[in-house]
Amino acid sequence: MKSVTRSLRILEAVAQHQPVTVGELTKLFGLPKSTVQRTLVTLNEAGWLRANRKDTTRWEIGARVLAVRPAALQGSSLFAAAREPMIRLRDALNETIHLSVPDALHSMVVVDRVDCDHAVRTFHAIGDTSPLHATATGHAVLAHLPKSEVDEFATGTLEGYGEETITDPKELRTELRRVRERGYAVNHNQYLQGVCAIAAPVLDGDGVPLAAVAVSLPDSRFEPGRLAELGQVVTDTAAEITARHLR
Amino acid sequence: MKSVTRSLRILEAVAQHQPVTVGELTKLFGLPKSTVQRTLVTLNEAGWLRANRKDTTRWEIGARVLAVRPAALQGSSLFAAAREPMIRLRDALNETIHLSVPDALHSMVVVDRVDCDHAVRTFHAIGDTSPLHATATGHAVLAHLPKSEVDEFATGTLEGYGEETITDPKELRTELRRVRERGYAVNHNQYLQGVCAIAAPVLDGDGVPLAAVAVSLPDSRFEPGRLAELGQVVTDTAAEITARHLR
DNA sequence: GCGCTTCATGCCATATTGTGGAACGCCGTG
DNA sequence: CACGGCGTTCCACAATATGGCATGAAGCGC
């Protein structure tokens, strides 16, 4: 359904650029003015958008969006289970900690974050997405999916983002085996340059991967000699979240 | 745009009932199966929905929503301005405090909450909506809207939710005058039974109502003799939020 | 094990619905 | 005062979503 898909795209764009005008959005999407205009009015009538109070030609996200909460955040699930262990991990390492979940189409989405206090630190906003095949959290999740799902996903040539990105499905599969063996995934310059991340999966009772916790730090502070140690504490944290989540 | 409006309704219904099946949604909306099905698939492809991992015929909200959610909060810089005063108000009364904003369609939406520590307390989740004409926060906002907007809204018979709901537009208007005079609004059993709330508006520089702060408590703890006192502290808090928001 | 019901999913002719080019009206500027 | 930029409205056309029906899979009782 074309109009629905487009409306959601426009909604996301408004969230990114708010408060934004019709004209700015038409340029962004290359669509006819009237089409964008109509979409904005519809979204407004549904309460998902609203006109800015000061400048009524500018649009921003309406409060109605708050009524829609992802399953991953509901009640006492993951989100609540993860908070404390994440804070402890941050305290132990003084590096930024992320919780990410896989989404419908081959992305990891940042769901929660606990910041470190270094002046130089990595930054991913809540809601940011990154490709499954090129991030530590993505690998942590992929490594625990049924082979059939990985096969379906890892086909052809995967998109590259730099020298280090694994673009060959075969190579990806051997990397995933390594991740399973040692329990954690490592990403160094595969997606964002200058960033290093170490991630471990949070699993369901049945071994289904629900999310991944990661520590993320700038190149400049990464000491290869400490990798095993970091991998261990991240894995322990993920295990603790899993345990808390199950009970 | 019919399909867009309907898709958003369905999205909200999924959020409310997740994880939910196609059949349940068709009953809920009285729409043809194929229409609902198609909508779900479209929303899924956009990442806003996903199939439940255990039971793939059940749908739940996808993580993509998170890309938009934070914008709904930061959109109103109110959120930041209100936090501290709300916490102080909670500390003073040890009752639950809410911040709500009006949305496009005659509802108030809960935007933030600070909890008390009583075992028995009222509960409204962030994102919950309630009707403008039957809540304290709604009255606080309505009382400061231009008369034309109130007239447009308060027409015919308003929906009732119990004995106490004001359903007559005329009666509502006199109540709103009282709210303006004393500065705060009171709701006792108008919408939810057993709940009492006292709210005051947060205004713009131009006197336009942006939101309302409310203290909300169970019947059992409400002492009518303390109403004036409670009204005063809530009004003071609202005034403080207004002041912080302006500078 | 076999028919029966229930439910999700796929198909396709139809007309309803959204499309987008063009025109309008408002406002600030040269 | 004319011009250009911008948001908004209009309307004939056809692309698009619709929903009744058919299919297929899964659960249940006999």
Side-chain angles (χ1 to χ4, degrees):
Chain A
M1 289 197 282
K2 213 166 164 180
S3 62
V4 173
T5 307
R6 194 169 47 207
S7 299
L8 294 175
R9 285 248 180 79
I10 290 180
L11 197 62
E12 288 170 23
V14 172
Q16 233 175 82
H17 302 289
Q18 71 176 339
V20 70
T21 64
V22 181
E24 285 161 9
L25 289 169
T26 58
K27 271 170 208 153
L28 197 60
F29 286 96
L31 289 167
K33 271 186 297 184
S34 50
T35 303
V36 175
Q37 163 77 0
R38 211 162 348 99
T39 306
L40 292 175
V41 170
T42 305
L43 291 173
N44 174 59
E45 281 166 355
W48 288 63
L49 239 51
R50 66 170 184 215
N52 187 293
R53 285 248 160 222
K54 311 264 154 121
D55 177 356
T56 53
T57 69
R58 293 194 166 267
W59 298 91
E60 50 193 33
I61 299 293
R64 178 66 49 134
V65 172
L66 295 174
V68 176
R69 205 179 331 218
L73 292 187
Q74 270 216 324
S76 63
S77 77
L78 265 181
F79 189 72
R83 208 79 229 274
E84 281 185 42
M86 284 172 70
I87 291 174
R88 271 205 293 280
L89 183 57
R90 189 273 316 270
D91 291 344
L93 302 176
N94 193 25
E95 293 293 351
T96 305
I97 312 301
H98 296 284
L99 181 71
S100 300
V101 301
D103 92 345
L105 275 146
H106 307 152
S107 297
M108 294 297 290
V109 183
V110 178
V111 162
D112 199 12
R113 188 185 77 221
V114 181
D115 286 312
C116 65
D117 69 6
H118 290 292
V120 175
R121 50 174 110 156
T122 61
F123 182 75
H124 307 288
I126 290 175
D128 276 2
T129 59
S130 54
L132 267 185
H133 71 279
T135 55
T137 53
H139 287 178
V141 165
L142 277 174
H144 294 269
L145 282 178
K147 211 172 69 187
S148 60
E149 281 192 55
V150 178
D151 287 343
E152 187 189 348
F153 161 68
T155 173
T157 300
L158 302 163
E159 192 171 352
Y161 305 93
E163 295 289 314
E164 300 298 327
T165 314
I166 299 175
T167 53
D168 175 32
K170 204 155 194 173
E171 218 177 304
L172 179 63
R173 261 184 280 266
T174 67
E175 172 63 15
L176 293 181
R177 188 170 331 118
R178 287 188 60 207
V179 170
R180 264 193 303 276
E181 280 163 12
R182 65 183 174 192
Y184 59 89
V186 182
N187 170 5
H188 198 183
N189 290 331
Q190 287 182 19
Y191 179 50
L192 298 168
Q193 304 307 307
V195 175
C196 176
I198 297 147
V202 176
L203 304 174
D204 202 350
D206 314 327
V208 176
L210 298 175
V213 219
V215 53
S216 164
L217 49 110
D219 249 358
S220 52
R221 274 203 300 281
F222 176 60
E223 303 165 35
R226 291 185 60 204
L227 180 58
E229 178 203 334
L230 289 176
Q232 190 57 48
V233 290
V234 173
T235 308
D236 291 347
T237 301
E240 193 192 340
I241 296 172
T242 300
R244 282 171 165 251
H245 178 53
L246 287 180
R247 82 169 110 84
Chain B
M1 290 197 282
K2 213 167 166 181
S3 63
V4 173
T5 306
R6 194 169 48 205
S7 298
L8 295 175
R9 284 250 179 79
I10 290 178
L11 202 59
E12 287 172 23
V14 173
Q16 233 175 80
H17 302 288
Q18 64 183 329
V20 69
T21 63
V22 180
E24 286 160 10
L25 289 168
T26 57
K27 271 170 206 153
L28 197 60
F29 287 96
L31 288 167
K33 272 186 296 183
S34 49
T35 303
V36 175
Q37 163 77 2
R38 212 165 346 100
T39 306
L40 291 175
V41 170
T42 305
L43 292 173
N44 174 59
E45 281 166 356
W48 288 67
L49 241 49
R50 69 170 184 210
N52 186 293
R53 293 218 74 99
K54 309 263 156 122
D55 177 354
T56 52
T57 69
R58 293 194 165 269
W59 296 91
E60 52 192 32
I61 300 294
R64 178 66 47 131
V65 176
L66 292 175
V68 172
R69 237 179 112 82
L73 295 178
Q74 121 210 5
S76 52
S77 47
L78 262 183
F79 188 73
R83 208 78 229 275
E84 281 186 41
M86 285 174 69
I87 290 174
R88 272 204 292 280
L89 183 57
R90 188 273 317 269
D91 291 344
L93 303 176
N94 193 27
E95 293 293 352
T96 306
I97 313 301
H98 296 284
L99 180 72
S100 299
V101 301
D103 88 347
L105 274 149
H106 306 153
S107 298
M108 295 297 289
V109 183
V110 177
V111 163
D112 200 11
R113 187 185 79 222
V114 181
D115 288 311
C116 66
D117 68 5
H118 290 293
V120 174
R121 49 175 111 156
T122 61
F123 182 75
H124 307 288
I126 290 174
D128 277 2
T129 59
S130 54
L132 267 185
H133 71 278
T135 54
T137 52
H139 288 179
V141 165
L142 277 174
H144 295 268
L145 281 178
K147 210 171 67 187
S148 61
E149 280 191 58
V150 178
D151 287 343
E152 186 189 348
F153 161 68
T155 172
T157 302
L158 302 164
E159 191 171 353
Y161 305 93
E163 295 289 313
E164 302 296 328
T165 315
I166 300 174
T167 53
D168 174 32
K170 204 157 196 172
E171 217 177 304
L172 180 63
R173 262 184 279 266
T174 67
E175 171 64 14
L176 293 181
R177 189 172 329 118
R178 287 188 61 208
V179 170
R180 263 193 303 278
E181 280 162 15
R182 66 182 174 192
Y184 59 90
V186 181
N187 170 6
H188 198 185
N189 290 332
Q190 288 182 17
Y191 179 51
L192 298 169
Q193 304 306 307
V195 176
C196 176
I198 298 146
V202 176
L203 304 174
D204 202 350
D206 314 326
V208 176
L210 299 175
V213 219
V215 54
S216 164
L217 50 116
D219 249 358
S220 51
R221 273 202 302 279
F222 177 60
E223 304 164 34
R226 290 184 60 202
L227 180 56
E229 178 203 333
L230 288 176
Q232 191 55 51
V233 290
V234 173
T235 308
D236 291 347
T237 302
E240 193 192 339
I241 295 173
T242 301
R244 280 172 167 250
H245 180 53
L246 287 181
R247 84 170 111 84

